[in-house]
Amino acid sequence: GDSVTQTEGLVTLTKGLPVMLNCTYQTTYSPFLFWYVQHLNEAPKLLLKSSTDNKRTEHQGFYATLHKSSSSFHLQKSSVQLSDSALYFCALSDQGGRALIFGTGTTVSVSP
Amino acid sequence: DTTVKQNPRYKLARVGKPVNLICSQTMNHDTMYWYQKKPNQAPKLLLFYYDKILNREADTFEKFQSSRPNNSFCSLYIGSAGLEYSAMYLCASSSGGGAEQFFGPGTRLTVL
């Protein structure tokens, strides 16, 4: 079946450094890919979304490019801030284009 | 207002007792979802309503029920709670396939 894989469970880094969170997926159709961010005690919020191959999408300093050839949608930021400490989920929408299939999430912890 | 509300935020239940969780949204979204999230696991879709049509996942079909009395409200009902139901339950809503899902803050259910 369809699946999303996030290889890092926890990423710890210092403020100002770059970060990349891996996301790969398996599906037989052409999906929408999403990144959601969840800060402590808050609801998950959409960070990025894409369905277009090889097009970079950006928001709030984060960016990702959907590569259908490698089934990847890695999240990057060139310089993390303390406020970026959160749980990040990669997800794809199913064949009906409605329900989301999530990865297990990556916790990012940024220190001063 | 793009908020999704969930009540209660925390719920303590006894094994064998029923549990009813409530979700509401005022964005006039046609689709409302319920996900279950356990520690270190991906959020898992339980069911979703597209308008008045209920779609339930095959592996949780018999464990969860739901109702949507109107466009704004959706409930998740557990007839007889077991220890395995302890989890965070996230409600979300969206309009259209591939559209952003707006999440509520979740209800943390603990079954004792």
Side-chain angles (χ1 to χ4, degrees), chain A residues 33 35 47-52 54-59 61-66 73-76:
Chain A
L33 268 294
W35 277 101
L47 185 57
L48 294 172
K49 168 189 168 182
S50 181
S51 61
T52 307
N54 296 317
K55 181 180 175 183
R56 175 165 152 160
T57 181
E58 302 184 39
H59 182 56
F62 288 90
Y63 58 95
T65 303
L66 177 58
F73 191 55
H74 305 319
L75 180 68
Q76 300 184 70

Side-chain angles (χ1 to χ4, degrees), chain B:
Chain B
D1 183 11
T2 57
T3 52
V4 175
K5 294 184 169 64
Q6 290 189 241
N7 287 298
R9 292 293 309 275
Y10 300 90
K11 175 73 177 175
L12 193 61
R14 296 292 180 188
V15 170
K17 296 298 185 183
V19 175
N20 197 44
L21 308 181
I22 303 294
C23 177
S24 65
Q25 52 91 12
T26 55
M27 295 171 279
N28 202 33
H29 285 164
D30 57 14
T31 308
M32 295 184 75
Y33 311 79
W34 281 100
Y35 293 87
Q36 181 191 62
K37 168 100 178 57
K38 294 186 175 182
N40 301 315
Q41 295 183 22
K44 182 185 183 307
L45 177 71
L46 298 176
L47 53 89
F48 68 93
Y49 262 100
Y50 169 56
D51 195 15
K52 291 181 171 57
I53 301 169
L54 175 61
N55 297 268
R56 285 188 284 183
E57 292 295 285
D59 58 345
T60 56
F61 182 82
E62 295 178 340
K63 294 184 177 180
F64 298 93
Q65 296 174 37
S66 183
S67 67
R68 193 177 185 187
N70 56 55
N71 179 267
S72 300
F73 287 87
C74 189
S75 67
L76 182 70
Y77 181 75
I78 300 166
S80 177
L83 296 176
E84 72 276 16
Y85 287 88
S86 291
M88 175 72 79
Y89 290 86
L90 293 167
C91 175
S93 69
S94 74
S95 59
E100 174 182 358
Q101 290 191 18
F102 292 83
F103 283 84
T107 295
R108 185 171 296 282
L109 173 65
T110 302
V111 182
L112 301 175

Side-chain angles (χ1 to χ4, degrees), chain A residues 58-84:
Chain A
E58 302 184 39
H59 182 56
Q60 296 182 342
F62 288 90
Y63 58 95
T65 303
L66 177 58
H67 292 296
K68 293 185 179 180
S69 60
S70 58
S71 299
S72 66
F73 191 55
H74 305 319
L75 180 68
Q76 300 184 70
K77 190 174 186 183
S78 56
S79 175
V80 294
Q81 304 304 308
L82 295 175
S83 58
D84 294 326

